[in-house]
Amino acid sequence: MAQSKQLAVEMRGVSKFFGAFQALKAIDLTVETGERIVICGPSGSGKSTLIRTINQLETIQSGTITVDGIELTAGGDNVGKVRREVGMVFQQFNLFPHLTVLQNCMLAPLKTGRANKSSAEATARKYLERVKIPEQADKFPAQLSGGQQQRVAIARALCMEPRIMLFDEPTSALDPEMVKEVLDTMIDLAREGMTMLCVTHEMEFARAVADRVIFMEAGAIIEQGAPEEFFGNPRSERLRNFLGQIA
Amino acid sequence: MIRQFGPADILFIIEAVRWTLLLSVIAFVGGAVGGLIVALARSSDSIALRRISAVFIRIFQGTPLLMQLFLFYFGLAVLNLPINPLLAAAVALTFHASAYLGEIWRGSIQAVPTGQLEAATALSLSYRDRMQSVILPQAARIGVAPTVGFLVQLIKGTSLTSIIGFTELTRAGQIVNNATFDPFVVFGLVAVIYFLICWPLSLYARRLEARMRRAFTR
Ligand SMILES: Nc1ncnc2c1ncn2[C@@H]1O[C@H](COP(=O)(O)OP(=O)(O)O)[C@@H](O)[C@H]1O
Ligand SMILES: [Mg+2]
């Protein structure tokens, strides 16, 4: 099994310190291409830090991270190469408020030389269509609802044609009635075969699309497994408690 | 010998306005370039750049502008360069403006939410593109009002260059007053002229700020 599929992400002994505080404790994690991973765990357990090391929004102090065969820590322009393959969606959307929806989606493809103006616009419109808001292209982010903004953020990341998508609690800042439209967009993406690592407490989403659910606590992976196993038969006491709390 | 304050004096004072304006423009343009460099250095990842720019700001904010003018003025003589009040004033005010604008713009850059930088980084934009396309346009909105506010300070600050003998508005007023000894009329006129230059700028700053705000929330 291990050699037959290409690895999207391979973490070996990854440790991250903020000053003296250890946020990640020698994490080992492999993600296969096409795999959908959901990461959950209590607040402060290191979930965000973990996925942010994959595109080096956080640097690590020890261990190695290889993304699509590119070793992040090996120097050169490897960080740049990895970032071009990894898209990220944030809890707070982080759309650029001074640019229209269309400009938000076109900026990175244009600036990184991926596309010229007309092909960047065509790509942007294609993905805005995909997330079901093509009619909002010329609006500014502040004119959109939270759910619409998050879907734009997904489209913006997709415009770079990433091979891996990272989601950091993409629905946590949304009003309840908008959670579904964003989850549906993510489910569509998962069905198309995108490799995804999602930090979320939306267990319905995890059951629907996750190949594997990971439970983190205090900077370590405590337990992981397929959703039926993970939710139906949690082995550790701590996971049982956690699932009891969020249910 | 005291003569009557007359139309020729008014003309003399008004003509000196161009030197105040020229000096203000030079200092502001030079200060904008220097200030951008200082602000980027202050908010960079390099500890060395941050330290150097912090020291620069501290020196120019922590000493009186008048002393800076003296040092640059007499510094020219020490370097065996011809004494040139305009050059000394322009250089001193440029450094002064670089320090203040650098600090204002550092604050503006750092007031842009960190998520903006993270999103731009995750989209694999280069440092230059992150700054140029994402951070600076938003920082400009935050910084525009204090920047114009500082420009008003700078214009008024050019009056200090009269002390090193540069004949701008204030010095022209002194010259006229020495001949007419009519200080309330002379310096009243000078003050009104400063006010007429600075007041529209303050109004403009407020309008610009309102327009920027609308652009974001429209
Ligand atoms: N920039 C930072 N500086 C210091 N400590 C941090 C920083 N970012 C996160 N931490 C700490 O690291 C731990 C893990 O944080 P995080 O990955 O954000 O947790 P989670 O996403 O699981 O809620 C927390 O204890 C948090 O306080
Ligand atoms: Mg988090």
Side-chain angles (χ1 to χ4, degrees), chain B residues 85-121:
Chain B
L86 174 60
L87 181 65
V91 173
L93 283 168
T94 293
F95 276 85
H96 172 78
S98 298
Y100 275 86
L101 290 175
E103 184 66 4
I104 290 171
W105 294 345
R106 175 202 61 79
S108 307
I109 287 171
Q110 290 180 348
V112 176
T114 53
Q116 294 289 309
L117 192 59
E118 291 178 355
T121 305

PDB file of all heavy atoms in Angstrom, chain B residues 85-121:
ATOM      1  N   PRO B  85      22.079  77.433   2.452  1.00  0.00           N
ATOM      2  CA  PRO B  85      20.946  77.223   3.366  1.00  0.00           C
ATOM      3  C   PRO B  85      19.877  76.310   2.767  1.00  0.00           C
ATOM      4  O   PRO B  85      19.310  75.479   3.469  1.00  0.00           O
ATOM      5  CB  PRO B  85      20.392  78.636   3.570  1.00  0.00           C
ATOM      6  CG  PRO B  85      21.519  79.538   3.252  1.00  0.00           C
ATOM      7  CD  PRO B  85      22.318  78.850   2.191  1.00  0.00           C
ATOM      8  N   LEU B  86      19.589  76.442   1.469  1.00  0.00           N
ATOM      9  CA  LEU B  86      18.554  75.600   0.870  1.00  0.00           C
ATOM     10  C   LEU B  86      18.949  74.126   0.935  1.00  0.00           C
ATOM     11  O   LEU B  86      18.155  73.277   1.334  1.00  0.00           O
ATOM     12  CB  LEU B  86      18.282  76.000  -0.584  1.00  0.00           C
ATOM     13  CG  LEU B  86      17.301  75.073  -1.333  1.00  0.00           C
ATOM     14  CD1 LEU B  86      15.936  75.033  -0.649  1.00  0.00           C
ATOM     15  CD2 LEU B  86      17.137  75.483  -2.802  1.00  0.00           C
ATOM     16  N   LEU B  87      20.208  73.842   0.584  1.00  0.00           N
ATOM     17  CA  LEU B  87      20.657  72.450   0.600  1.00  0.00           C
ATOM     18  C   LEU B  87      20.592  71.883   2.016  1.00  0.00           C
ATOM     19  O   LEU B  87      20.064  70.795   2.244  1.00  0.00           O
ATOM     20  CB  LEU B  87      22.091  72.347   0.052  1.00  0.00           C
ATOM     21  CG  LEU B  87      22.662  70.933   0.005  1.00  0.00           C
ATOM     22  CD1 LEU B  87      21.868  70.089  -0.988  1.00  0.00           C
ATOM     23  CD2 LEU B  87      24.145  70.961  -0.390  1.00  0.00           C
ATOM     24  N   ALA B  88      21.121  72.649   2.984  1.00  0.00           N
ATOM     25  CA  ALA B  88      21.120  72.178   4.373  1.00  0.00           C
ATOM     26  C   ALA B  88      19.699  71.957   4.863  1.00  0.00           C
ATOM     27  O   ALA B  88      19.391  70.925   5.487  1.00  0.00           O
ATOM     28  CB  ALA B  88      21.835  73.190   5.270  1.00  0.00           C
ATOM     29  N   ALA B  89      18.812  72.913   4.535  1.00  0.00           N
ATOM     30  CA  ALA B  89      17.431  72.800   4.990  1.00  0.00           C
ATOM     31  C   ALA B  89      16.746  71.604   4.342  1.00  0.00           C
ATOM     32  O   ALA B  89      16.023  70.846   5.005  1.00  0.00           O
ATOM     33  CB  ALA B  89      16.671  74.085   4.657  1.00  0.00           C
ATOM     34  N   ALA B  90      16.985  71.414   3.037  1.00  0.00           N
ATOM     35  CA  ALA B  90      16.333  70.328   2.312  1.00  0.00           C
ATOM     36  C   ALA B  90      16.787  68.978   2.870  1.00  0.00           C
ATOM     37  O   ALA B  90      15.972  68.068   3.097  1.00  0.00           O
ATOM     38  CB  ALA B  90      16.643  70.419   0.823  1.00  0.00           C
ATOM     39  N   VAL B  91      18.086  68.846   3.107  1.00  0.00           N
ATOM     40  CA  VAL B  91      18.597  67.562   3.603  1.00  0.00           C
ATOM     41  C   VAL B  91      18.081  67.297   5.015  1.00  0.00           C
ATOM     42  O   VAL B  91      17.579  66.206   5.322  1.00  0.00           O
ATOM     43  CB  VAL B  91      20.139  67.548   3.573  1.00  0.00           C
ATOM     44  CG1 VAL B  91      20.671  66.288   4.246  1.00  0.00           C
ATOM     45  CG2 VAL B  91      20.641  67.624   2.132  1.00  0.00           C
ATOM     46  N   ALA B  92      18.164  68.310   5.876  1.00  0.00           N
ATOM     47  CA  ALA B  92      17.729  68.124   7.264  1.00  0.00           C
ATOM     48  C   ALA B  92      16.242  67.764   7.319  1.00  0.00           C
ATOM     49  O   ALA B  92      15.838  66.828   8.019  1.00  0.00           O
ATOM     50  CB  ALA B  92      17.998  69.379   8.083  1.00  0.00           C
ATOM     51  N   LEU B  93      15.432  68.495   6.561  1.00  0.00           N
ATOM     52  CA  LEU B  93      13.989  68.237   6.592  1.00  0.00           C
ATOM     53  C   LEU B  93      13.644  66.891   5.962  1.00  0.00           C
ATOM     54  O   LEU B  93      12.689  66.225   6.380  1.00  0.00           O
ATOM     55  CB  LEU B  93      13.228  69.363   5.867  1.00  0.00           C
ATOM     56  CG  LEU B  93      13.092  70.654   6.685  1.00  0.00           C
ATOM     57  CD1 LEU B  93      12.594  71.800   5.803  1.00  0.00           C
ATOM     58  CD2 LEU B  93      12.142  70.451   7.862  1.00  0.00           C
ATOM     59  N   THR B  94      14.428  66.470   4.973  1.00  0.00           N
ATOM     60  CA  THR B  94      14.192  65.155   4.371  1.00  0.00           C
ATOM     61  C   THR B  94      14.436  64.042   5.389  1.00  0.00           C
ATOM     62  O   THR B  94      13.632  63.111   5.517  1.00  0.00           O
ATOM     63  CB  THR B  94      15.101  64.959   3.134  1.00  0.00           C
ATOM     64  OG1 THR B  94      14.684  65.871   2.122  1.00  0.00           O
ATOM     65  CG2 THR B  94      15.005  63.538   2.600  1.00  0.00           C
ATOM     66  N   PHE B  95      15.535  64.155   6.131  1.00  0.00           N
ATOM     67  CA  PHE B  95      15.806  63.152   7.169  1.00  0.00           C
ATOM     68  C   PHE B  95      14.713  63.179   8.244  1.00  0.00           C
ATOM     69  O   PHE B  95      14.224  62.144   8.682  1.00  0.00           O
ATOM     70  CB  PHE B  95      17.186  63.386   7.800  1.00  0.00           C
ATOM     71  CG  PHE B  95      18.301  62.766   7.015  1.00  0.00           C
ATOM     72  CD1 PHE B  95      18.880  63.433   5.936  1.00  0.00           C
ATOM     73  CD2 PHE B  95      18.774  61.500   7.337  1.00  0.00           C
ATOM     74  CE1 PHE B  95      19.888  62.852   5.197  1.00  0.00           C
ATOM     75  CE2 PHE B  95      19.790  60.910   6.605  1.00  0.00           C
ATOM     76  CZ  PHE B  95      20.358  61.590   5.524  1.00  0.00           C
ATOM     77  N   HIS B  96      14.376  64.393   8.650  1.00  0.00           N
ATOM     78  CA  HIS B  96      13.335  64.575   9.657  1.00  0.00           C
ATOM     79  C   HIS B  96      12.028  63.918   9.193  1.00  0.00           C
ATOM     80  O   HIS B  96      11.407  63.137   9.916  1.00  0.00           O
ATOM     81  CB  HIS B  96      13.138  66.087   9.872  1.00  0.00           C
ATOM     82  CG  HIS B  96      11.988  66.477  10.724  1.00  0.00           C
ATOM     83  ND1 HIS B  96      12.019  66.390  12.100  1.00  0.00           N
ATOM     84  CD2 HIS B  96      10.750  66.955  10.397  1.00  0.00           C
ATOM     85  CE1 HIS B  96      10.843  66.800  12.581  1.00  0.00           C
ATOM     86  NE2 HIS B  96      10.068  67.142  11.566  1.00  0.00           N
ATOM     87  N   ALA B  97      11.642  64.203   7.948  1.00  0.00           N
ATOM     88  CA  ALA B  97      10.382  63.655   7.414  1.00  0.00           C
ATOM     89  C   ALA B  97      10.489  62.145   7.241  1.00  0.00           C
ATOM     90  O   ALA B  97       9.511  61.414   7.464  1.00  0.00           O
ATOM     91  CB  ALA B  97      10.043  64.326   6.084  1.00  0.00           C
ATOM     92  N   SER B  98      11.661  61.649   6.860  1.00  0.00           N
ATOM     93  CA  SER B  98      11.835  60.199   6.693  1.00  0.00           C
ATOM     94  C   SER B  98      11.576  59.476   8.013  1.00  0.00           C
ATOM     95  O   SER B  98      10.947  58.414   8.037  1.00  0.00           O
ATOM     96  CB  SER B  98      13.260  59.872   6.219  1.00  0.00           C
ATOM     97  OG  SER B  98      13.502  60.453   4.966  1.00  0.00           O
ATOM     98  N   ALA B  99      12.082  60.059   9.093  1.00  0.00           N
ATOM     99  CA  ALA B  99      11.904  59.424  10.398  1.00  0.00           C
ATOM    100  C   ALA B  99      10.437  59.419  10.807  1.00  0.00           C
ATOM    101  O   ALA B  99       9.893  58.391  11.220  1.00  0.00           O
ATOM    102  CB  ALA B  99      12.749  60.140  11.453  1.00  0.00           C
ATOM    103  N   TYR B 100       9.778  60.563  10.657  1.00  0.00           N
ATOM    104  CA  TYR B 100       8.376  60.647  11.087  1.00  0.00           C
ATOM    105  C   TYR B 100       7.452  59.832  10.192  1.00  0.00           C
ATOM    106  O   TYR B 100       6.602  59.077  10.673  1.00  0.00           O
ATOM    107  CB  TYR B 100       7.909  62.107  11.167  1.00  0.00           C
ATOM    108  CG  TYR B 100       8.273  62.730  12.494  1.00  0.00           C
ATOM    109  CD1 TYR B 100       9.523  63.304  12.699  1.00  0.00           C
ATOM    110  CD2 TYR B 100       7.386  62.691  13.567  1.00  0.00           C
ATOM    111  CE1 TYR B 100       9.879  63.842  13.923  1.00  0.00           C
ATOM    112  CE2 TYR B 100       7.723  63.228  14.796  1.00  0.00           C
ATOM    113  CZ  TYR B 100       8.969  63.801  14.970  1.00  0.00           C
ATOM    114  OH  TYR B 100       9.324  64.325  16.187  1.00  0.00           O
ATOM    115  N   LEU B 101       7.630  59.973   8.864  1.00  0.00           N
ATOM    116  CA  LEU B 101       6.775  59.207   7.952  1.00  0.00           C
ATOM    117  C   LEU B 101       7.066  57.712   8.091  1.00  0.00           C
ATOM    118  O   LEU B 101       6.162  56.885   8.018  1.00  0.00           O
ATOM    119  CB  LEU B 101       6.976  59.664   6.502  1.00  0.00           C
ATOM    120  CG  LEU B 101       6.421  61.053   6.191  1.00  0.00           C
ATOM    121  CD1 LEU B 101       6.771  61.467   4.762  1.00  0.00           C
ATOM    122  CD2 LEU B 101       4.904  61.090   6.395  1.00  0.00           C
ATOM    123  N   GLY B 102       8.338  57.373   8.323  1.00  0.00           N
ATOM    124  CA  GLY B 102       8.698  55.970   8.524  1.00  0.00           C
ATOM    125  C   GLY B 102       7.947  55.378   9.701  1.00  0.00           C
ATOM    126  O   GLY B 102       7.416  54.263   9.628  1.00  0.00           O
ATOM    127  N   GLU B 103       7.883  56.142  10.771  1.00  0.00           N
ATOM    128  CA  GLU B 103       7.196  55.655  11.967  1.00  0.00           C
ATOM    129  C   GLU B 103       5.668  55.606  11.759  1.00  0.00           C
ATOM    130  O   GLU B 103       5.008  54.648  12.160  1.00  0.00           O
ATOM    131  CB  GLU B 103       7.550  56.562  13.159  1.00  0.00           C
ATOM    132  CG  GLU B 103       6.989  56.114  14.495  1.00  0.00           C
ATOM    133  CD  GLU B 103       7.574  54.791  14.990  1.00  0.00           C
ATOM    134  OE1 GLU B 103       8.489  54.233  14.346  1.00  0.00           O
ATOM    135  OE2 GLU B 103       7.094  54.310  16.027  1.00  0.00           O
ATOM    136  N   ILE B 104       5.130  56.622  11.102  1.00  0.00           N
ATOM    137  CA  ILE B 104       3.685  56.624  10.809  1.00  0.00           C
ATOM    138  C   ILE B 104       3.330  55.421   9.939  1.00  0.00           C
ATOM    139  O   ILE B 104       2.371  54.693  10.200  1.00  0.00           O
ATOM    140  CB  ILE B 104       3.273  57.934  10.087  1.00  0.00           C
ATOM    141  CG1 ILE B 104       3.347  59.131  11.040  1.00  0.00           C
ATOM    142  CG2 ILE B 104       1.862  57.810   9.510  1.00  0.00           C
ATOM    143  CD1 ILE B 104       3.179  60.479  10.352  1.00  0.00           C
ATOM    144  N   TRP B 105       4.137  55.187   8.912  1.00  0.00           N
ATOM    145  CA  TRP B 105       3.811  54.123   7.957  1.00  0.00           C
ATOM    146  C   TRP B 105       4.113  52.745   8.524  1.00  0.00           C
ATOM    147  O   TRP B 105       3.468  51.763   8.162  1.00  0.00           O
ATOM    148  CB  TRP B 105       4.519  54.367   6.627  1.00  0.00           C
ATOM    149  CG  TRP B 105       4.005  55.607   5.936  1.00  0.00           C
ATOM    150  CD1 TRP B 105       2.839  56.277   6.245  1.00  0.00           C
ATOM    151  CD2 TRP B 105       4.602  56.338   4.872  1.00  0.00           C
ATOM    152  NE1 TRP B 105       2.688  57.363   5.424  1.00  0.00           N
ATOM    153  CE2 TRP B 105       3.749  57.433   4.572  1.00  0.00           C
ATOM    154  CE3 TRP B 105       5.775  56.193   4.121  1.00  0.00           C
ATOM    155  CZ2 TRP B 105       4.044  58.351   3.561  1.00  0.00           C
ATOM    156  CZ3 TRP B 105       6.057  57.097   3.116  1.00  0.00           C
ATOM    157  CH2 TRP B 105       5.204  58.170   2.840  1.00  0.00           C
ATOM    158  N   ARG B 106       5.098  52.650   9.418  1.00  0.00           N
ATOM    159  CA  ARG B 106       5.312  51.370  10.099  1.00  0.00           C
ATOM    160  C   ARG B 106       4.036  50.983  10.852  1.00  0.00           C
ATOM    161  O   ARG B 106       3.554  49.862  10.774  1.00  0.00           O
ATOM    162  CB  ARG B 106       6.469  51.442  11.092  1.00  0.00           C
ATOM    163  CG  ARG B 106       6.636  50.166  11.915  1.00  0.00           C
ATOM    164  CD  ARG B 106       7.387  50.401  13.218  1.00  0.00           C
ATOM    165  NE  ARG B 106       6.697  51.336  14.095  1.00  0.00           N
ATOM    166  CZ  ARG B 106       5.659  51.027  14.862  1.00  0.00           C
ATOM    167  NH1 ARG B 106       5.200  49.801  14.875  1.00  0.00           N
ATOM    168  NH2 ARG B 106       5.082  51.935  15.619  1.00  0.00           N
ATOM    169  N   GLY B 107       3.500  51.977  11.563  1.00  0.00           N
ATOM    170  CA  GLY B 107       2.262  51.722  12.298  1.00  0.00           C
ATOM    171  C   GLY B 107       1.132  51.322  11.353  1.00  0.00           C
ATOM    172  O   GLY B 107       0.352  50.423  11.647  1.00  0.00           O
ATOM    173  N   SER B 108       1.065  51.981  10.199  1.00  0.00           N
ATOM    174  CA  SER B 108       0.007  51.671   9.227  1.00  0.00           C
ATOM    175  C   SER B 108       0.168  50.251   8.685  1.00  0.00           C
ATOM    176  O   SER B 108      -0.804  49.518   8.540  1.00  0.00           O
ATOM    177  CB  SER B 108       0.052  52.653   8.058  1.00  0.00           C
ATOM    178  OG  SER B 108       0.034  53.975   8.529  1.00  0.00           O
ATOM    179  N   ILE B 109       1.411  49.886   8.393  1.00  0.00           N
ATOM    180  CA  ILE B 109       1.675  48.535   7.863  1.00  0.00           C
ATOM    181  C   ILE B 109       1.298  47.496   8.912  1.00  0.00           C
ATOM    182  O   ILE B 109       0.647  46.495   8.620  1.00  0.00           O
ATOM    183  CB  ILE B 109       3.168  48.391   7.466  1.00  0.00           C
ATOM    184  CG1 ILE B 109       3.442  49.189   6.185  1.00  0.00           C
ATOM    185  CG2 ILE B 109       3.544  46.921   7.273  1.00  0.00           C
ATOM    186  CD1 ILE B 109       4.908  49.290   5.821  1.00  0.00           C
ATOM    187  N   GLN B 110       1.676  47.767  10.164  1.00  0.00           N
ATOM    188  CA  GLN B 110       1.412  46.776  11.200  1.00  0.00           C
ATOM    189  C   GLN B 110      -0.058  46.750  11.614  1.00  0.00           C
ATOM    190  O   GLN B 110      -0.499  45.790  12.230  1.00  0.00           O
ATOM    191  CB  GLN B 110       2.334  47.008  12.388  1.00  0.00           C
ATOM    192  CG  GLN B 110       3.767  46.643  11.998  1.00  0.00           C
ATOM    193  CD  GLN B 110       4.780  46.841  13.093  1.00  0.00           C
ATOM    194  OE1 GLN B 110       4.502  47.464  14.115  1.00  0.00           O
ATOM    195  NE2 GLN B 110       5.982  46.314  12.872  1.00  0.00           N
ATOM    196  N   ALA B 111      -0.803  47.805  11.235  1.00  0.00           N
ATOM    197  CA  ALA B 111      -2.229  47.806  11.554  1.00  0.00           C
ATOM    198  C   ALA B 111      -3.043  46.975  10.559  1.00  0.00           C
ATOM    199  O   ALA B 111      -4.203  46.669  10.805  1.00  0.00           O
ATOM    200  CB  ALA B 111      -2.758  49.243  11.586  1.00  0.00           C
ATOM    201  N   VAL B 112      -2.427  46.603   9.434  1.00  0.00           N
ATOM    202  CA  VAL B 112      -3.121  45.712   8.493  1.00  0.00           C
ATOM    203  C   VAL B 112      -3.179  44.326   9.150  1.00  0.00           C
ATOM    204  O   VAL B 112      -2.160  43.827   9.615  1.00  0.00           O
ATOM    205  CB  VAL B 112      -2.373  45.640   7.143  1.00  0.00           C
ATOM    206  CG1 VAL B 112      -3.043  44.644   6.201  1.00  0.00           C
ATOM    207  CG2 VAL B 112      -2.317  47.020   6.501  1.00  0.00           C
ATOM    208  N   PRO B 113      -4.363  43.709   9.225  1.00  0.00           N
ATOM    209  CA  PRO B 113      -4.472  42.433   9.935  1.00  0.00           C
ATOM    210  C   PRO B 113      -3.473  41.397   9.410  1.00  0.00           C
ATOM    211  O   PRO B 113      -3.234  41.312   8.212  1.00  0.00           O
ATOM    212  CB  PRO B 113      -5.909  41.982   9.622  1.00  0.00           C
ATOM    213  CG  PRO B 113      -6.645  43.230   9.299  1.00  0.00           C
ATOM    214  CD  PRO B 113      -5.651  44.161   8.690  1.00  0.00           C
ATOM    215  N   THR B 114      -2.883  40.617  10.322  1.00  0.00           N
ATOM    216  CA  THR B 114      -1.852  39.652   9.921  1.00  0.00           C
ATOM    217  C   THR B 114      -2.393  38.618   8.938  1.00  0.00           C
ATOM    218  O   THR B 114      -1.641  38.092   8.134  1.00  0.00           O
ATOM    219  CB  THR B 114      -1.281  38.904  11.139  1.00  0.00           C
ATOM    220  OG1 THR B 114      -2.385  38.362  11.859  1.00  0.00           O
ATOM    221  CG2 THR B 114      -0.475  39.802  12.027  1.00  0.00           C
ATOM    222  N   GLY B 115      -3.686  38.364   9.007  1.00  0.00           N
ATOM    223  CA  GLY B 115      -4.291  37.410   8.073  1.00  0.00           C
ATOM    224  C   GLY B 115      -4.085  37.807   6.622  1.00  0.00           C
ATOM    225  O   GLY B 115      -4.016  36.958   5.737  1.00  0.00           O
ATOM    226  N   GLN B 116      -3.987  39.105   6.358  1.00  0.00           N
ATOM    227  CA  GLN B 116      -3.764  39.573   4.997  1.00  0.00           C
ATOM    228  C   GLN B 116      -2.404  39.108   4.482  1.00  0.00           C
ATOM    229  O   GLN B 116      -2.270  38.641   3.363  1.00  0.00           O
ATOM    230  CB  GLN B 116      -3.853  41.101   4.951  1.00  0.00           C
ATOM    231  CG  GLN B 116      -5.243  41.620   5.247  1.00  0.00           C
ATOM    232  CD  GLN B 116      -6.211  41.312   4.111  1.00  0.00           C
ATOM    233  OE1 GLN B 116      -5.933  41.601   2.958  1.00  0.00           O
ATOM    234  NE2 GLN B 116      -7.331  40.695   4.442  1.00  0.00           N
ATOM    235  N   LEU B 117      -1.408  39.270   5.344  1.00  0.00           N
ATOM    236  CA  LEU B 117      -0.062  38.843   4.961  1.00  0.00           C
ATOM    237  C   LEU B 117      -0.012  37.326   4.808  1.00  0.00           C
ATOM    238  O   LEU B 117       0.606  36.797   3.879  1.00  0.00           O
ATOM    239  CB  LEU B 117       0.944  39.309   6.025  1.00  0.00           C
ATOM    240  CG  LEU B 117       2.412  39.200   5.645  1.00  0.00           C
ATOM    241  CD1 LEU B 117       2.705  40.014   4.397  1.00  0.00           C
ATOM    242  CD2 LEU B 117       3.291  39.673   6.795  1.00  0.00           C
ATOM    243  N   GLU B 118      -0.694  36.625   5.713  1.00  0.00           N
ATOM    244  CA  GLU B 118      -0.696  35.163   5.645  1.00  0.00           C
ATOM    245  C   GLU B 118      -1.373  34.669   4.375  1.00  0.00           C
ATOM    246  O   GLU B 118      -0.878  33.760   3.708  1.00  0.00           O
ATOM    247  CB  GLU B 118      -1.402  34.580   6.878  1.00  0.00           C
ATOM    248  CG  GLU B 118      -0.608  34.799   8.148  1.00  0.00           C
ATOM    249  CD  GLU B 118      -1.324  34.278   9.377  1.00  0.00           C
ATOM    250  OE1 GLU B 118      -2.486  33.826   9.249  1.00  0.00           O
ATOM    251  OE2 GLU B 118      -0.727  34.317  10.459  1.00  0.00           O
ATOM    252  N   ALA B 119      -2.510  35.295   4.019  1.00  0.00           N
ATOM    253  CA  ALA B 119      -3.205  34.878   2.804  1.00  0.00           C
ATOM    254  C   ALA B 119      -2.326  35.133   1.588  1.00  0.00           C
ATOM    255  O   ALA B 119      -2.212  34.291   0.697  1.00  0.00           O
ATOM    256  CB  ALA B 119      -4.528  35.621   2.673  1.00  0.00           C
ATOM    257  N   ALA B 120      -1.679  36.299   1.558  1.00  0.00           N
ATOM    258  CA  ALA B 120      -0.817  36.631   0.423  1.00  0.00           C
ATOM    259  C   ALA B 120       0.367  35.670   0.344  1.00  0.00           C
ATOM    260  O   ALA B 120       0.776  35.246  -0.734  1.00  0.00           O
ATOM    261  CB  ALA B 120      -0.332  38.074   0.542  1.00  0.00           C
ATOM    262  N   THR B 121       0.904  35.314   1.511  1.00  0.00           N
ATOM    263  CA  THR B 121       2.034  34.380   1.548  1.00  0.00           C
ATOM    264  C   THR B 121       1.588  33.002   1.083  1.00  0.00           C
ATOM    265  O   THR B 121       2.260  32.347   0.281  1.00  0.00           O
ATOM    266  CB  THR B 121       2.596  34.293   2.983  1.00  0.00           C
ATOM    267  OG1 THR B 121       2.930  35.607   3.412  1.00  0.00           O
ATOM    268  CG2 THR B 121       3.843  33.424   3.023  1.00  0.00           C
TER     269      THR B 121
END
